[in-house]
Amino acid sequence: MSENAIFPPSPEFVSKAHVQGMEQYRKLYREAAGNPEAFWADIAKREIHWFEPWDHVFEWNPPFVKWFAGAKTNAAYNCIDRHLEARGDKVAILWEGEPGDVREITYKELHRLVCRFANVLKARGLKTGDRAIVYMPMVPELPVALLACARLGVIHSVVFGGFSAEALKARIQDLDACMVITADGGWRRGKEVRLKDAVDEAVQECPGVQNVIVHQRTKSQIPMREGRDHWWHELEEGVSDDCPAVPVDSEHPLYVLYTSGTTGQPKGILHTTGGYLTAILMTMKWVFDLREEDVYWCTADIGWVTGHSYVVYAPLAAGATTVMYEGAPDYPDYGRFWQTVAKHKVSIFYSSPTAIRALIKQGEKWPAMHDLSSLRLLGSVGEPINPAAWEWYYRVIGKNRCPIVDTWWQTETGGILIAPMPGAVPLKPGSGTLPLPGIIAEVVDFSGNPVAANQEGFLIIKRPWPSMIRTIWGDPERFQQQYFSRIPGVYFTGDAARQDEDGYFWILGRVDDVMNVSGHRLSTMEVESALVRHPAVAEAAVVGKPHEITGQAVCCFVTLKAGDYDLPALNKELRQWVAHEIGAFARPEEIRFAEALPKTRSGKIMRRLLREIVTTRTVTGDVTTLEDLTVVTRLAAQNDEE
Ligand code: PRX
């Protein structure tokens, strides 16, 4: 498909959309740009419940911002209580376990579950401002735990269930958390993923953790440590079904979510309450054109930001029915996604390019077996979607009638910033199209000057928006330095992009040492640090290598300490080692043993050259600072031996 293909919204879609046609989009955009205070204040008043009003709409002292400071609100109240009257019997969470078990939890029932668990947390001594780690499978108790924390003003931090004990420990320690909420395990591809084992290993070195609460999912045998570990269902016996939501300041932290940066140390991205809720709820309505009767399914794991914002908080704040699925998309067969869409009559389906590409590979027979006529809108997030995958998604899944919203955003942005409003903005496959109202995005050069149309540059956001990162937990200097120092005073995204002649944004990928594997962020340094902890490894350099399905794959160049090694066995061992140190999703695709790594004269590893070797199989870039050119020729020659 040509890059110039344009898909305007169908008149039928436009006629029912919240924002109808380009004129309406432009009007909203102009209003927001002209008077952001009035624009956001209006939305916040209309969309969010406040116990008390704010002093100022926002205060901007770069890099720090406050939205609606002084106002009192509560995220759980906004996601549950205020819907009870009008939507008490509507299904809030429609959950399907991998074995096929289904739970339909209404807003009333969600209220009961969240209140009961909040009472459990209270009884264990948790209070506003404490930190709880949540390390759980995709079961309804996961959002229940988050909302129970939010109800009390306890700051939650979800650690994706695929992370290792080591990674879990680092996060517990960085946050100084006093509680871990977990489960015995979860189901994935018919096997149990044992979570409690990893918790036991992690908390050995976390003396601050006084309580571990364990939800029973798989019913397998797990050790429980007297005094520290408690079964969720046992603690709930006899607790009250009511627990008032604590009004917290709009700027009270809602959660910390760790993501990879350019160092080996993951950073805790802090999101607060009022601004975050306002922006994600509004983007949910704008981008997914949400209607009362929609059945909305975002396939992301709640362990990542997409799951926080668009599985839990935005759909529930909007009073929608949000679908949650526990397991793998290919279990028991490659039709699982499509079978689930048909079974629950999903109308909005939001997934990742990696998942789409993996399913394309299995052929059209899988979607053909299921009735997909309930779908009306498709979404994509996490990485650029290539036009071929877009075309398949549009034709085979959407039957040429469902717009695809390609949503660009980041853990740091909290919510979607660049995406089409589907009843207004014509689509171009592979482009996130135009920024949402209130978002001033630009593509600039090193000095911060806008580049011409179709020129590559850095993507920046010029003004603060309500759901933006507030700081890095415990490290405000790193926050300032990472996001606001490249171009002083404006938010630096770390992505390269270009804007075409229609102003459409095309994201070209990261400009830093961050890889994007299956839409998951991973730092090259994190993998390198894991590798050099292995006794045989002297040095390691890691780069992302283009991959047909996962977008990028982890490729490691490794030099060994002196010794005799069985290289094929060591190769396997090192891949396993990284999976154990970080998590299975970080397992390298490839380990290449090298005699030496290319370095500058000052001893810095030149990853740029390695990237070039794995991408283009040759080196054409500037090598004038390279210490030993033969290292590169030898590494490049390895390509030909493959
Ligand atoms: O490079 C961009 C890519 O994912 C990065 C953010 O990753 P993370 O914080 O893990 O959040 C992922 C889910 C929001 C971005 O810097 N990215 C995300 N969405 C897109 C994308 N690249 C291209 N197109 C997208 N739609």
Side-chain angles (χ1 to χ4, degrees), residues 115-164:
C115 284
R116 289 173 67 81
F117 194 60
N119 281 327
V120 166
L121 297 179
K122 251 196 210 170
R124 304 313 305 168
L126 263 74
K127 51 188 188 317
T128 304
D130 285 346
R131 276 84 57 208
I133 293 275
V134 182
Y135 185 63
M136 290 187 82
M138 282 285 282
V139 291
E141 282 70 17
L142 169 48
V144 167
L146 305 191
L147 292 162
C149 287
R151 200 163 187 85
L152 302 177
V154 169
I155 306 166
H156 63 70
S157 184
V158 183
V159 178
F160 170 57
F163 273 114
S164 65

Short mmCIF file of all heavy atoms in Angstrom, two decimals, residues 115-164:
data_model
loop_
_atom_site.label_atom_id
_atom_site.label_comp_id
_atom_site.label_asym_id
_atom_site.label_seq_id
_atom_site.Cartn_x
_atom_site.Cartn_y
_atom_site.Cartn_z
N CYS A 115 -14.37 -1.81 47.94
CA CYS A 115 -14.53 -1.37 49.33
C CYS A 115 -14.00 -2.44 50.28
O CYS A 115 -13.29 -2.14 51.25
CB CYS A 115 -16.00 -1.12 49.65
SG CYS A 115 -16.59 0.43 48.97
N ARG A 116 -14.33 -3.68 50.01
CA ARG A 116 -13.89 -4.76 50.92
C ARG A 116 -12.37 -4.83 50.95
O ARG A 116 -11.75 -4.93 52.01
CB ARG A 116 -14.48 -6.11 50.48
CG ARG A 116 -15.98 -6.21 50.72
CD ARG A 116 -16.56 -7.47 50.13
NE ARG A 116 -16.08 -8.67 50.83
CZ ARG A 116 -16.57 -9.11 51.98
NH1 ARG A 116 -17.55 -8.46 52.57
NH2 ARG A 116 -16.08 -10.21 52.54
N PHE A 117 -11.76 -4.76 49.78
CA PHE A 117 -10.29 -4.88 49.78
C PHE A 117 -9.64 -3.62 50.38
O PHE A 117 -8.61 -3.71 51.04
CB PHE A 117 -9.76 -5.18 48.37
CG PHE A 117 -8.33 -5.65 48.41
CD1 PHE A 117 -7.97 -6.79 49.12
CD2 PHE A 117 -7.32 -4.92 47.79
CE1 PHE A 117 -6.64 -7.21 49.20
CE2 PHE A 117 -5.99 -5.33 47.86
CZ PHE A 117 -5.65 -6.48 48.56
N ALA A 118 -10.27 -2.48 50.17
CA ALA A 118 -9.73 -1.26 50.79
C ALA A 118 -9.78 -1.41 52.31
O ALA A 118 -8.84 -1.00 53.02
CB ALA A 118 -10.52 -0.04 50.32
N ASN A 119 -10.85 -2.02 52.81
CA ASN A 119 -10.93 -2.24 54.26
C ASN A 119 -9.84 -3.20 54.74
O ASN A 119 -9.32 -3.06 55.84
CB ASN A 119 -12.32 -2.75 54.64
CG ASN A 119 -13.33 -1.61 54.68
OD1 ASN A 119 -12.97 -0.48 55.05
ND2 ASN A 119 -14.57 -1.87 54.30
N VAL A 120 -9.52 -4.18 53.90
CA VAL A 120 -8.42 -5.09 54.24
C VAL A 120 -7.11 -4.31 54.34
O VAL A 120 -6.34 -4.45 55.29
CB VAL A 120 -8.29 -6.21 53.18
CG1 VAL A 120 -6.97 -6.96 53.31
CG2 VAL A 120 -9.47 -7.18 53.27
N LEU A 121 -6.87 -3.45 53.36
CA LEU A 121 -5.62 -2.66 53.36
C LEU A 121 -5.55 -1.78 54.60
O LEU A 121 -4.51 -1.67 55.25
CB LEU A 121 -5.53 -1.78 52.10
CG LEU A 121 -5.46 -2.52 50.76
CD1 LEU A 121 -5.39 -1.52 49.61
CD2 LEU A 121 -4.24 -3.44 50.70
N LYS A 122 -6.67 -1.17 54.92
CA LYS A 122 -6.74 -0.30 56.10
C LYS A 122 -6.41 -1.11 57.35
O LYS A 122 -5.63 -0.67 58.20
CB LYS A 122 -8.16 0.22 56.24
CG LYS A 122 -8.34 1.67 55.94
CD LYS A 122 -9.70 2.05 56.54
CE LYS A 122 -10.39 3.12 55.84
NZ LYS A 122 -11.76 3.32 56.24
N ALA A 123 -7.01 -2.29 57.42
CA ALA A 123 -6.80 -3.12 58.62
C ALA A 123 -5.34 -3.54 58.74
O ALA A 123 -4.84 -3.79 59.84
CB ALA A 123 -7.70 -4.35 58.55
N ARG A 124 -4.63 -3.62 57.61
CA ARG A 124 -3.20 -3.96 57.67
C ARG A 124 -2.38 -2.71 57.95
O ARG A 124 -1.15 -2.74 57.88
CB ARG A 124 -2.68 -4.59 56.37
CG ARG A 124 -3.37 -5.84 55.86
CD ARG A 124 -3.63 -6.93 56.85
NE ARG A 124 -2.47 -7.43 57.58
CZ ARG A 124 -2.53 -8.23 58.65
NH1 ARG A 124 -3.69 -8.63 59.11
NH2 ARG A 124 -1.44 -8.63 59.25
N GLY A 125 -3.03 -1.59 58.14
CA GLY A 125 -2.31 -0.38 58.56
C GLY A 125 -1.93 0.56 57.42
O GLY A 125 -1.21 1.53 57.64
N LEU A 126 -2.40 0.29 56.20
CA LEU A 126 -2.00 1.18 55.09
C LEU A 126 -2.75 2.50 55.14
O LEU A 126 -3.94 2.53 55.45
CB LEU A 126 -2.21 0.50 53.74
CG LEU A 126 -0.92 -0.14 53.23
CD1 LEU A 126 -0.62 -1.39 54.01
CD2 LEU A 126 -0.98 -0.42 51.76
N LYS A 127 -2.04 3.55 54.80
CA LYS A 127 -2.68 4.86 54.83
C LYS A 127 -2.20 5.71 53.66
O LYS A 127 -1.23 5.34 52.97
CB LYS A 127 -2.42 5.55 56.17
CG LYS A 127 -0.96 5.56 56.53
CD LYS A 127 -0.71 6.05 57.94
CE LYS A 127 0.78 6.24 58.15
NZ LYS A 127 1.65 5.18 57.63
N THR A 128 -2.87 6.82 53.48
CA THR A 128 -2.57 7.74 52.38
C THR A 128 -1.07 8.01 52.28
O THR A 128 -0.44 8.34 53.29
CB THR A 128 -3.34 9.06 52.61
OG1 THR A 128 -4.71 8.73 52.73
CG2 THR A 128 -3.16 10.02 51.46
N GLY A 129 -0.53 7.82 51.09
CA GLY A 129 0.89 8.11 50.88
C GLY A 129 1.79 6.88 50.96
O GLY A 129 2.90 6.89 50.45
N ASP A 130 1.29 5.78 51.58
CA ASP A 130 2.10 4.54 51.60
C ASP A 130 2.19 3.97 50.20
O ASP A 130 1.35 4.26 49.34
CB ASP A 130 1.43 3.50 52.53
CG ASP A 130 1.63 3.84 54.00
OD1 ASP A 130 2.48 4.70 54.29
OD2 ASP A 130 0.91 3.26 54.83
N ARG A 131 3.20 3.11 49.99
CA ARG A 131 3.36 2.50 48.68
C ARG A 131 3.12 0.99 48.72
O ARG A 131 3.66 0.30 49.60
CB ARG A 131 4.76 2.73 48.10
CG ARG A 131 4.92 4.05 47.39
CD ARG A 131 5.23 5.20 48.30
NE ARG A 131 6.43 4.96 49.07
CZ ARG A 131 6.64 5.50 50.26
NH1 ARG A 131 5.73 6.28 50.82
NH2 ARG A 131 7.76 5.24 50.92
N ALA A 132 2.31 0.49 47.78
CA ALA A 132 2.07 -0.95 47.68
C ALA A 132 2.46 -1.41 46.28
O ALA A 132 2.11 -0.78 45.28
CB ALA A 132 0.60 -1.25 47.93
N ILE A 133 3.20 -2.51 46.23
CA ILE A 133 3.58 -3.11 44.94
C ILE A 133 2.51 -4.12 44.56
O ILE A 133 2.05 -4.90 45.41
CB ILE A 133 4.94 -3.83 45.07
CG1 ILE A 133 6.06 -2.82 45.32
CG2 ILE A 133 5.22 -4.72 43.88
CD1 ILE A 133 6.66 -2.17 44.09
N VAL A 134 2.12 -4.13 43.29
CA VAL A 134 1.13 -5.09 42.83
C VAL A 134 1.79 -5.94 41.74
O VAL A 134 2.26 -5.42 40.73
CB VAL A 134 -0.12 -4.36 42.28
CG1 VAL A 134 -1.17 -5.36 41.83
CG2 VAL A 134 -0.70 -3.41 43.34
N TYR A 135 1.84 -7.25 41.99
CA TYR A 135 2.53 -8.18 41.08
C TYR A 135 1.57 -9.34 40.85
O TYR A 135 1.54 -10.29 41.62
CB TYR A 135 3.81 -8.63 41.79
CG TYR A 135 4.76 -9.50 41.01
CD1 TYR A 135 5.39 -9.05 39.85
CD2 TYR A 135 5.08 -10.79 41.46
CE1 TYR A 135 6.30 -9.85 39.17
CE2 TYR A 135 6.00 -11.59 40.78
CZ TYR A 135 6.59 -11.10 39.64
OH TYR A 135 7.50 -11.90 38.96
N MET A 136 0.73 -9.18 39.83
CA MET A 136 -0.40 -10.10 39.69
C MET A 136 -0.64 -10.52 38.25
O MET A 136 -0.23 -9.84 37.31
CB MET A 136 -1.67 -9.41 40.19
CG MET A 136 -1.67 -9.20 41.69
SD MET A 136 -3.24 -8.57 42.25
CE MET A 136 -4.19 -10.05 42.35
N PRO A 137 -1.34 -11.64 38.07
CA PRO A 137 -1.77 -12.01 36.72
C PRO A 137 -2.94 -11.13 36.31
O PRO A 137 -3.43 -10.33 37.12
CB PRO A 137 -2.21 -13.46 36.89
CG PRO A 137 -2.63 -13.59 38.32
CD PRO A 137 -1.80 -12.60 39.10
N MET A 138 -3.39 -11.27 35.08
CA MET A 138 -4.51 -10.45 34.59
C MET A 138 -5.84 -11.03 35.08
O MET A 138 -6.58 -11.66 34.30
CB MET A 138 -4.46 -10.39 33.06
CG MET A 138 -3.42 -9.44 32.53
SD MET A 138 -3.96 -7.71 32.71
CE MET A 138 -5.11 -7.60 31.32
N VAL A 139 -6.11 -10.85 36.35
CA VAL A 139 -7.39 -11.30 36.92
C VAL A 139 -8.09 -10.06 37.50
O VAL A 139 -7.43 -9.04 37.76
CB VAL A 139 -7.16 -12.35 38.04
CG1 VAL A 139 -6.64 -13.65 37.44
CG2 VAL A 139 -6.21 -11.83 39.11
N PRO A 140 -9.41 -10.11 37.72
CA PRO A 140 -10.13 -8.91 38.18
C PRO A 140 -9.58 -8.36 39.49
O PRO A 140 -9.70 -7.16 39.75
CB PRO A 140 -11.57 -9.40 38.37
CG PRO A 140 -11.69 -10.58 37.47
CD PRO A 140 -10.35 -11.22 37.43
N GLU A 141 -8.97 -9.21 40.31
CA GLU A 141 -8.42 -8.73 41.57
C GLU A 141 -7.30 -7.72 41.34
O GLU A 141 -6.99 -6.93 42.23
CB GLU A 141 -7.92 -9.89 42.44
CG GLU A 141 -9.03 -10.65 43.15
CD GLU A 141 -9.91 -11.47 42.21
OE1 GLU A 141 -9.49 -11.73 41.04
OE2 GLU A 141 -11.01 -11.86 42.63
N LEU A 142 -6.69 -7.72 40.15
CA LEU A 142 -5.65 -6.73 39.88
C LEU A 142 -6.25 -5.32 39.83
O LEU A 142 -5.85 -4.45 40.62
CB LEU A 142 -4.88 -7.12 38.61
CG LEU A 142 -3.92 -6.14 37.96
CD1 LEU A 142 -2.97 -5.48 38.93
CD2 LEU A 142 -3.10 -6.83 36.87
N PRO A 143 -7.24 -5.03 38.95
CA PRO A 143 -7.85 -3.69 39.04
C PRO A 143 -8.50 -3.43 40.39
O PRO A 143 -8.50 -2.27 40.85
CB PRO A 143 -8.87 -3.66 37.90
CG PRO A 143 -8.98 -5.05 37.39
CD PRO A 143 -7.73 -5.77 37.77
N VAL A 144 -9.04 -4.45 41.02
CA VAL A 144 -9.64 -4.23 42.35
C VAL A 144 -8.57 -3.72 43.31
O VAL A 144 -8.79 -2.76 44.06
CB VAL A 144 -10.31 -5.53 42.88
CG1 VAL A 144 -10.64 -5.41 44.38
CG2 VAL A 144 -11.57 -5.84 42.09
N ALA A 145 -7.38 -4.32 43.26
CA ALA A 145 -6.29 -3.89 44.14
C ALA A 145 -5.91 -2.43 43.85
O ALA A 145 -5.73 -1.63 44.77
CB ALA A 145 -5.08 -4.80 43.98
N LEU A 146 -5.81 -2.10 42.56
CA LEU A 146 -5.43 -0.71 42.21
C LEU A 146 -6.47 0.28 42.72
O LEU A 146 -6.14 1.31 43.31
CB LEU A 146 -5.30 -0.55 40.69
CG LEU A 146 -4.36 -1.50 39.95
CD1 LEU A 146 -4.15 -1.02 38.52
CD2 LEU A 146 -3.03 -1.61 40.66
N LEU A 147 -7.73 -0.05 42.49
CA LEU A 147 -8.79 0.88 42.88
C LEU A 147 -8.91 0.97 44.40
O LEU A 147 -9.24 2.03 44.93
CB LEU A 147 -10.11 0.46 42.24
CG LEU A 147 -10.13 0.61 40.71
CD1 LEU A 147 -11.25 -0.21 40.08
CD2 LEU A 147 -10.29 2.09 40.31
N ALA A 148 -8.63 -0.12 45.09
CA ALA A 148 -8.67 -0.09 46.56
C ALA A 148 -7.56 0.82 47.08
O ALA A 148 -7.76 1.62 48.01
CB ALA A 148 -8.54 -1.50 47.12
N CYS A 149 -6.37 0.72 46.47
CA CYS A 149 -5.28 1.63 46.85
C CYS A 149 -5.71 3.06 46.61
O CYS A 149 -5.60 3.94 47.47
CB CYS A 149 -4.02 1.33 46.03
SG CYS A 149 -3.19 -0.18 46.51
N ALA A 150 -6.21 3.32 45.40
CA ALA A 150 -6.60 4.68 45.02
C ALA A 150 -7.67 5.22 45.97
O ALA A 150 -7.67 6.41 46.31
CB ALA A 150 -7.12 4.70 43.59
N ARG A 151 -8.55 4.34 46.40
CA ARG A 151 -9.63 4.75 47.30
C ARG A 151 -9.09 5.34 48.60
O ARG A 151 -9.68 6.22 49.19
CB ARG A 151 -10.49 3.52 47.61
CG ARG A 151 -11.83 3.84 48.11
CD ARG A 151 -12.77 2.65 48.01
NE ARG A 151 -14.10 3.07 48.35
CZ ARG A 151 -14.98 3.62 47.50
NH1 ARG A 151 -14.66 3.79 46.25
NH2 ARG A 151 -16.17 3.99 47.93
N LEU A 152 -7.94 4.81 49.03
CA LEU A 152 -7.35 5.25 50.30
C LEU A 152 -6.23 6.26 50.10
O LEU A 152 -5.63 6.72 51.07
CB LEU A 152 -6.78 4.04 51.05
CG LEU A 152 -7.75 2.91 51.37
CD1 LEU A 152 -7.02 1.76 52.04
CD2 LEU A 152 -8.88 3.42 52.27
N GLY A 153 -5.87 6.54 48.85
CA GLY A 153 -4.72 7.41 48.62
C GLY A 153 -3.40 6.69 48.76
O GLY A 153 -2.33 7.32 48.86
N VAL A 154 -3.43 5.36 48.77
CA VAL A 154 -2.19 4.57 48.79
C VAL A 154 -1.63 4.57 47.36
O VAL A 154 -2.38 4.41 46.40
CB VAL A 154 -2.48 3.12 49.26
CG1 VAL A 154 -1.27 2.22 49.04
CG2 VAL A 154 -2.91 3.12 50.72
N ILE A 155 -0.33 4.79 47.22
CA ILE A 155 0.28 4.87 45.88
C ILE A 155 0.59 3.45 45.42
O ILE A 155 1.30 2.72 46.11
CB ILE A 155 1.58 5.69 45.95
CG1 ILE A 155 1.31 7.06 46.60
CG2 ILE A 155 2.22 5.83 44.57
CD1 ILE A 155 2.58 7.80 47.02
N HIS A 156 0.06 3.06 44.27
CA HIS A 156 0.37 1.70 43.81
C HIS A 156 1.45 1.71 42.74
O HIS A 156 1.64 2.69 42.02
CB HIS A 156 -0.88 0.95 43.35
CG HIS A 156 -1.59 1.53 42.16
ND1 HIS A 156 -1.08 1.51 40.88
CD2 HIS A 156 -2.81 2.15 42.06
CE1 HIS A 156 -1.95 2.05 40.06
NE2 HIS A 156 -3.00 2.47 40.74
N SER A 157 2.14 0.59 42.67
CA SER A 157 3.11 0.42 41.60
C SER A 157 3.01 -1.01 41.10
O SER A 157 3.32 -1.97 41.81
CB SER A 157 4.52 0.70 42.11
OG SER A 157 5.43 0.62 41.03
N VAL A 158 2.50 -1.16 39.89
CA VAL A 158 2.33 -2.48 39.33
C VAL A 158 3.64 -2.91 38.69
O VAL A 158 4.26 -2.14 37.95
CB VAL A 158 1.22 -2.49 38.25
CG1 VAL A 158 0.99 -3.91 37.73
CG2 VAL A 158 -0.07 -1.92 38.80
N VAL A 159 4.06 -4.12 39.00
CA VAL A 159 5.22 -4.70 38.32
C VAL A 159 4.68 -5.80 37.42
O VAL A 159 4.00 -6.72 37.90
CB VAL A 159 6.25 -5.25 39.33
CG1 VAL A 159 7.42 -5.89 38.60
CG2 VAL A 159 6.74 -4.12 40.24
N PHE A 160 4.90 -5.68 36.13
CA PHE A 160 4.42 -6.65 35.15
C PHE A 160 4.81 -8.06 35.59
O PHE A 160 5.96 -8.29 36.00
CB PHE A 160 5.03 -6.28 33.80
CG PHE A 160 4.83 -7.31 32.72
CD1 PHE A 160 3.56 -7.73 32.35
CD2 PHE A 160 5.93 -7.86 32.04
CE1 PHE A 160 3.38 -8.66 31.35
CE2 PHE A 160 5.75 -8.79 31.03
CZ PHE A 160 4.48 -9.20 30.68
N GLY A 161 3.85 -9.00 35.53
CA GLY A 161 4.08 -10.37 35.99
C GLY A 161 5.20 -11.09 35.26
O GLY A 161 5.68 -12.13 35.72
N GLY A 162 5.65 -10.55 34.12
CA GLY A 162 6.74 -11.19 33.38
C GLY A 162 8.11 -10.77 33.89
O GLY A 162 9.13 -11.30 33.45
N PHE A 163 8.15 -9.82 34.83
CA PHE A 163 9.45 -9.40 35.38
C PHE A 163 9.95 -10.43 36.39
O PHE A 163 9.17 -11.08 37.08
CB PHE A 163 9.34 -8.03 36.06
CG PHE A 163 9.54 -6.87 35.13
CD1 PHE A 163 8.51 -6.00 34.85
CD2 PHE A 163 10.78 -6.66 34.53
CE1 PHE A 163 8.69 -4.93 33.99
CE2 PHE A 163 10.97 -5.58 33.68
CZ PHE A 163 9.92 -4.72 33.40
N SER A 164 11.27 -10.51 36.49
CA SER A 164 11.92 -11.48 37.37
C SER A 164 11.89 -11.00 38.82
O SER A 164 11.59 -9.83 39.11
CB SER A 164 13.37 -11.61 36.95
OG SER A 164 14.02 -10.38 37.17
#
